Amino acid sequence: MQQITNTILMVRPINFRMNEQTAVNNFYQKEFTNTLPSVINKKAQNEFDVYVDKLRSVGVNVIVVSDTEEFDTPDSIFPNNWISFHENGTVTIYPIFAENRRLERREDILVQLEKEGFLIDNVVDYTSAEEEQFFLEGTGSMILDRQNNKAYCALSPRADEELFIEFCEDFEYTPVVFTAYQTVNNSREAIYHTNVMMCVAENFAIVCLSSIDDKKERKNLLKHLKEDGKKVIDITEEQVNNFAGNMLQVKGANDERFLIMSDAAFKSLSQSQKAQINNYCKIISSPLDTIEFCGGGSARCMMAEVFLPKK
């Protein structure tokens, strides 16, 4: 199994704004006051377009689908929460916490991928769990180490443990479960998505160890990463607040490796951390300030990796 891919699905927003339904447990979201929604959306679109151009300029195959006017979907820019694609031709559809985010799920995106020459053999759909108020938001809630068949999950209102275990059984992953916290108004609150505090690349992992308050859980996480030969690069909570955990390694032209992140994430890294990453791959960063500020997500959240086989 490959850990990284050359093909990325991205959804261009048309009604981007702060989603009030997700703000209840995504403490990274903020609201622009005195700014017209159309201005916010335009800024987000510009950031999106610059980002796509940067990926394509190094040979990443980016499939861009536009959001539709049909529904009010302010978070459509983050497709990795509702869908994932696997090397065996399986597509997985996930149960989502916010009701207005469930409207992001679109059949036509699968049709588009088939038109692009990808093979879809099977769709595994966990969305019925929404009726019981259980959620598992894709590769936001889980970090998949596809090479070593391990899945890392920080439990939260958006990542149910039983559902996560069910996914791991279905896809033959070893589950690594923990809880990650951030400090909000002097209290420790669960981080809403694992991919905010952790990134697993081919030969290294970036993780905020101090966010895992339980020492046994922290030790277990490290054990798994180290036994798989991953170099662990530890980041601080302040760096997590700048989305330094929200990164993704991808392949560009000639299989060259890149780690993708936002400018805010890049600026928050120390010279030593950058040097450690550069031992393995080049860094590409792009300005995502509006998307991060209102959406509470960053570079990784915007990319749904396509591992499907070609026809």
Side-chain angles (χ1 to χ4, degrees), residues 99 168 215 253 256 286 296:
E99 286 185 26
C168 288
K215 287 194 176 120
E256 191 176 1
S286 200

Side-chain angles (χ1 to χ4, degrees), residues 178-221:
F178 54 95
T179 306
Y181 296 92
Q182 64 185 125
T183 304
V184 182
N185 300 325
N186 297 320
S187 75
R188 296 294 271 167
E189 302 280 356
I191 290 177
Y192 80 107
H193 276 162
T194 315
N195 76 0
V196 176
M197 51 70 67
M198 184 176 186
C199 156
V200 175
E202 285 178 312
N203 303 307
F204 65 96
I206 292 167
V207 59
C208 179
L209 294 170
S210 61
S211 70
I212 305 169
D213 292 354
D214 185 304
K215 287 194 176 120
K216 277 188 188 158
E217 290 181 350
R218 194 187 309 169
K219 200 171 172 184
N220 183 50
L221 176 93

Side-chain angles (χ1 to χ4, degrees), residues 50-284:
V50 167
Y51 183 21
V52 169
D53 286 346
K54 282 195 177 178
L55 290 170
R56 285 177 171 163
S57 72
V58 296
V60 179
N61 177 27
V62 186
I63 298 167
V64 175
V65 177
S66 178
D67 190 13
T68 70
E69 291 278 10
E70 190 180 351
F71 301 113
D72 176 29
T73 45
D75 278 334
S76 62
I77 199 167
F78 304 132
N80 80 312
N81 299 144
W82 69 264
I83 195 164
S84 67
F85 307 99
H86 305 268
E87 272 188 58
N88 63 358
T90 298
V91 172
T92 314
I93 311 291
Y94 296 95
I96 298 280
F97 170 80
E99 286 185 26
N100 65 0
R101 291 213 61 193
R102 297 170 195 173
L103 303 168
E104 294 170 28
R105 300 190 289 242
R106 290 164 49 188
E107 190 98 6
D108 66 301
I109 286 179
L110 303 188
V111 174
Q112 171 82 16
L113 285 166
E114 288 183 316
K115 277 186 189 157
E116 300 270 349
F118 291 99
L119 193 65
I120 296 173
D121 267 341
N122 184 28
V123 176
V124 176
D125 188 336
Y126 295 106
T127 57
S128 63
E130 288 167 352
E131 293 160 27
E132 309 290 325
Q133 298 296 299
F134 295 129
F135 312 108
L136 185 67
E137 297 193 336
T139 54
S141 293
M142 306 179 288
I143 308 293
L144 303 181
D145 183 345
R146 295 167 189 257
Q147 277 171 312
N148 298 295
N149 289 91
K150 282 184 187 166
Y152 296 86
C153 182
L155 302 179
S156 79
R158 306 203 201 175
D160 176 74
E161 184 167 10
E162 281 183 32
L163 206 50
F164 172 59
I165 301 296
E166 186 184 333
F167 169 88
C168 288
E169 286 171 355
D170 291 346
F171 285 83
E172 298 180 348
Y173 280 89
T174 300
V176 183
V177 178
F178 54 95
T179 306
Y181 296 92
Q182 64 185 125
T183 304
V184 182
N185 300 325
N186 297 320
S187 75
R188 296 294 271 167
E189 302 280 356
I191 290 177
Y192 80 107
H193 276 162
T194 315
N195 76 0
V196 176
M197 51 70 67
M198 184 176 186
C199 156
V200 175
E202 285 178 312
N203 303 307
F204 65 96
I206 292 167
V207 59
C208 179
L209 294 170
S210 61
S211 70
I212 305 169
D213 292 354
D214 185 304
K215 287 194 176 120
K216 277 188 188 158
E217 290 181 350
R218 194 187 309 169
K219 200 171 172 184
N220 183 50
L221 176 93
L222 278 171
K223 174 182 84 76
H224 280 285
L225 291 171
K226 286 182 172 165
E227 75 186 15
D228 295 331
K230 306 279 188 202
K231 162 77 177 165
V232 176
I233 302 170
D234 189 15
I235 55 174
T236 65
E237 183 168 339
E238 181 56 33
Q239 289 174 319
V240 170
N241 289 337
N242 284 289
F243 296 99
N246 199 243
M247 304 169 169
L248 185 69
Q249 191 182 33
V250 300
K251 281 192 280 199
N254 306 315
D255 280 351
E256 191 176 1
R257 270 65 174 157
F258 298 95
L259 189 67
I260 314 299
M261 64 188 74
S262 71
D263 279 0
F266 181 75
K267 286 172 189 159
S268 78
L269 295 176
S270 68
Q271 288 310 117
S272 159
Q273 288 166 326
K274 288 174 189 171
Q276 288 178 76
I277 293 165
N278 284 325
N279 284 336
Y280 300 101
C281 60
K282 287 183 183 166
I283 294 172
I284 291 181

